[in-house]
Amino acid sequence: MKQSNREVAEATGDVGRTMADTTYRRLRNDIVTGRLGAGSKLKLEGLAGIYEVGMSPLREALTRLVGDLLVVSEGQRGFWVAPLSLDELDDISRVRALIETEALNLAIRNGNSSWEAAVRQAFEALTEIESRLPQTTEPLDPEMVEDWERANRAFHAALVSASGSPMLTRLREQLYQQSERYRRVSLNASRRWRNVHDEHAAIFDATMQRNALKAARMTELHMSRTAEEVRRAMQQLAADVASLTERENAGDA
Amino acid sequence: MKQSNREVAEATGDVGRTMADTTYRRLRNDIVTGRLGAGSKLKLEGLAGIYEVGMSPLREALTRLVGDLLVVSEGQRGFWVAPLSLDELDDISRVRALIETEALNLAIRNGNSSWEAAVRQAFEALTEIESRLPQTTEPLDPEMVEDWERANRAFHAALVSASGSPMLTRLREQLYQQSERYRRVSLNASRRWRNVHDEHAAIFDATMQRNALKAARMTELHMSRTAEEVRRAMQQLAADVASLTERENAGDA
DNA sequence: CTGTCAAATAATATCGAAAATATTTGGTGA
DNA sequence: TCACCAAATATTTTCGATATTATTTGACAG
């Protein structure tokens, strides 16, 4: 029995992969990780060269990213990496807490044993990685950061995976990605690691006990603390830039 | 003092209008109003002809609509108007209630007197239109439907305009649009008008009294009732289609 | 008849150049 | 020196043709 191209593609998981789609993912990654800096101009010709792609798929990818709030555009003036701001950090954090607690609440109500197993598995994987993280102020291994990001994302996704609401799931993912982008700023800037394992454990425990109220409170706490950490890092960064600019101006004068 | 082209464009409000943008709005309107039926295939060449536009801006418009959940796409297979379903109706209604009550709560806490004035003005405009609506089962004047849709949208937007949260505002708009699309199905199908003015008045009164809890309850009630109405219309529609199909099959046999 | 395959057809996705628009540069007059 | 303007340049947007992929058709074997 010979397989059609489509069947092969489905089996290997790259069905319908287009240039636009691939470029979208690459750009998204480069923005979330900070390789493309907040606020920087995205010149089309330049990007087309770098990502080896034509205008049409490139613009399609950028248009999708505008929808994700990772890119901003102005007609006839082009595209920029979306700027970061303290106000937006607060806004995102609060709305994300709203969505995430609602989704977790539903998941706790609806989740069956296979959901429980998936949550436990994701938590254990995360625990394993967090236990290996340096307790001291060492330079963070970029690969370890990626591993942790993946595990953290998987844990939070698993928690709410039984919400039964595709719309909440979608909104949660969008907001998670926004948060991740802000979080990575603080990681890159402060080079310090906040111990979050206790917070994850508290959320996990409350969830396994099916204590929705406590799980929501722990989730809110986790998010507000993370936001606070990011806020500090961003303020520090802004202060650094300011003093650097001042010194430069002094040098010029 | 001569104005630059850009300044003129800013004054007239059509700054940066591109083909992609115009086509996006036209397509969006045609989908929300139902002129492009749920689930129908969107063939690129056909659309390019109808909207008199090339491939690039057309695809860009469709890509934006995918982000709005008004269109679905599959790589290498193209675009379809997003289907409608009862499950999705429930999902959207519930999440919209969550977002909208949160935003209204914030607006009631933060709103100043100019917000109050804007809400009152929007409510009065809506009241005026709703008072003119036929009480009997008459054929609905399409122009009046448009007027009502505009006023209804403006009223609900005014209510939450002081939430102070750009993210909530954005999510609310997306969800409002989804709801509108479902609502129009029931309008087109049932040809009957549910009297919603009392519900709007209840929301308005509670809001003006700064009674956040009551305003939220009235909002939830308004939305669940609307969803129920749409649900009935969709079920009726499905039943009609089924009996029609049956008759056709009987004719063939 | 039924499933399979390849050729023919239809549709989508992509490229690269042309058109439209924005921005910068450099010159002129007040 | 400054504001203004137009030419030169840079950039975005759009078009239309080509390449790629999916779908349909129809012939053939089992």
Side-chain angles (χ1 to χ4, degrees):
Chain A
M1 179 180 93
K2 203 184 131 204
Q3 285 182 309
S4 70
N5 278 346
R6 174 153 208 93
E7 283 167 327
V8 171
E10 272 167 17
T12 53
D14 59 347
V15 59
R17 278 290 169 76
T18 61
M19 284 287 129
D21 196 48
T22 306
T23 308
Y24 164 72
R25 292 161 195 267
R26 292 183 61 191
L27 273 166
R28 185 180 60 181
N29 202 253
D30 288 349
I31 291 170
V32 171
T33 61
R35 271 194 295 276
L36 286 169
S40 54
K41 183 74 203 283
L42 295 168
K43 291 195 195 158
L44 296 169
E45 223 173 331
L47 292 181
I50 292 167
Y51 295 97
E52 292 175 288
V53 73
M55 280 300 153
S56 311
L58 175 60
R59 293 183 64 88
E60 219 168 296
L62 288 168
T63 300
R64 284 182 68 182
L65 292 165
V66 170
D68 293 342
L69 298 184
L70 292 174
V71 166
V72 294
S73 79
E74 266 183 74
Q76 315 280 27
R77 307 217 318 121
F79 300 86
W80 292 259
V81 177
L84 299 170
S85 75
L86 292 172
D87 282 353
E88 199 196 41
L89 169 65
D90 284 352
D91 189 22
I92 287 165
S93 302
R94 277 196 288 259
V95 176
R96 186 181 158 211
L98 174 72
I99 298 288
E100 197 115 10
T101 55
E102 176 73 8
L104 183 51
N105 194 34
L106 288 170
I108 287 174
R109 202 153 59 215
N110 300 335
N112 59 16
S113 64
S114 92
W115 165 71
E116 267 190 32
V119 171
R120 174 165 285 113
Q121 198 255 311
F123 177 68
E124 281 164 4
L126 183 60
T127 300
E128 205 276 317
I129 287 175
E130 288 180 337
S131 74
R132 292 209 323 266
L133 284 172
Q135 302 303 316
T136 58
T137 310
E138 289 171 42
L140 289 169
D141 175 6
E143 203 168 319
M144 188 156 272
V145 170
E146 292 312 312
D147 286 352
W148 180 82
E149 283 291 354
R150 218 188 328 277
N152 187 55
R153 173 188 288 268
F155 173 60
H156 285 287
L159 280 169
V160 299
S161 62
S163 76
S165 168
M167 186 59 76
L168 276 181
T169 299
R170 176 189 149 88
L171 298 183
R172 199 202 65 83
E173 278 166 5
Q174 286 181 350
L175 289 161
Y176 183 92
Q177 183 163 255
Q178 289 290 320
S179 301
E180 180 181 339
R181 183 169 174 233
Y182 275 92
R183 193 151 34 67
R184 288 201 185 236
V185 172
S186 96
L187 273 182
N188 289 342
S190 82
R191 213 159 297 278
R192 226 177 70 247
W193 191 265
R194 184 167 76 93
N195 186 342
V196 290
H197 187 255
D198 293 349
E199 292 169 25
H200 284 147
I203 296 170
F204 174 71
D205 290 342
T207 301
M208 289 297 104
Q209 290 160 26
R210 305 264 173 165
N211 186 337
L213 200 68
K214 187 171 184 190
R217 279 209 312 269
M218 294 300 104
T219 299
E220 279 166 358
L221 193 61
H222 178 52
M223 283 177 197
S224 66
R225 280 186 181 163
T226 302
E228 188 48 39
E229 168 90 358
V230 175
R231 163 175 284 276
R232 257 197 293 272
M234 284 180 69
Q235 282 171 334
Q236 184 58 50
L237 211 63
D240 290 353
V241 171
S243 76
L244 191 68
T245 308
E246 208 175 297
R247 216 174 309 150
E248 271 174 15
N249 286 349
D252 288 351
Chain B
M1 181 179 95
K2 205 184 129 201
Q3 284 182 310
S4 71
N5 277 347
R6 174 153 209 94
E7 282 168 326
V8 172
E10 271 168 15
T12 53
D14 57 348
V15 60
R17 279 288 170 76
T18 62
M19 283 287 128
D21 196 47
T22 306
T23 308
Y24 164 72
R25 291 161 196 267
R26 291 182 63 189
L27 273 166
R28 183 179 62 182
N29 202 252
D30 288 349
I31 292 169
V32 171
T33 61
R35 271 194 295 275
L36 287 169
S40 53
K41 182 76 203 282
L42 295 169
K43 293 196 192 155
L44 296 170
E45 222 172 333
L47 293 181
I50 292 168
Y51 294 96
E52 293 174 285
V53 75
M55 280 301 154
S56 310
L58 175 59
R59 292 182 65 88
E60 217 168 297
L62 288 167
T63 301
R64 284 182 66 181
L65 291 165
V66 170
D68 293 343
L69 298 183
L70 292 174
V71 164
V72 294
S73 80
E74 266 183 74
Q76 316 279 31
R77 306 216 322 122
F79 300 86
W80 293 260
V81 177
L84 298 171
S85 76
L86 291 172
D87 283 352
E88 198 196 42
L89 169 65
D90 285 353
D91 189 22
I92 286 165
S93 302
R94 277 197 288 258
V95 177
R96 185 180 158 213
L98 174 71
I99 298 288
E100 197 115 10
T101 55
E102 176 73 7
L104 183 51
N105 194 35
L106 288 170
I108 286 174
R109 201 153 59 216
N110 299 336
N112 58 16
S113 63
S114 91
W115 165 71
E116 267 191 31
V119 172
R120 174 164 283 114
Q121 198 256 311
F123 177 68
E124 282 164 4
L126 182 60
T127 301
E128 205 276 317
I129 288 175
E130 288 180 335
S131 73
R132 292 208 323 264
L133 285 172
Q135 301 304 315
T136 59
T137 309
E138 290 171 41
L140 289 170
D141 175 7
E143 201 168 321
M144 187 157 273
V145 170
E146 291 313 313
D147 286 352
W148 180 81
E149 282 291 354
R150 217 187 329 276
N152 187 55
R153 174 187 288 267
F155 173 60
H156 284 287
L159 280 170
V160 299
S161 62
S163 78
S165 169
M167 186 59 78
L168 277 181
T169 300
R170 177 189 148 89
L171 298 183
R172 199 201 66 83
E173 278 166 5
Q174 287 181 348
L175 289 160
Y176 183 92
Q177 184 164 255
Q178 290 290 320
S179 301
E180 180 181 339
R181 182 168 175 233
Y182 274 93
R183 194 151 33 68
R184 287 199 187 238
V185 172
S186 95
L187 272 182
N188 291 341
S190 81
R191 214 160 296 279
R192 226 179 68 248
W193 191 265
R194 181 168 77 94
N195 186 340
V196 289
H197 186 254
D198 293 350
E199 292 169 25
H200 284 148
I203 296 169
F204 174 71
D205 290 341
T207 301
M208 289 297 105
Q209 291 160 25
R210 306 268 173 162
N211 187 337
L213 200 69
K214 187 171 184 190
R217 280 211 311 271
M218 294 301 105
T219 299
E220 278 166 0
L221 193 61
H222 178 52
M223 283 177 197
S224 67
R225 282 187 179 163
T226 302
E228 187 48 40
E229 168 90 357
V230 174
R231 163 175 284 276
R232 258 198 293 272
M234 285 179 69
Q235 281 171 333
Q236 183 58 50
L237 211 63
D240 290 352
V241 171
S243 76
L244 191 69
T245 310
E246 206 175 298
R247 215 173 312 150
E248 271 173 14
N249 286 349
D252 289 350

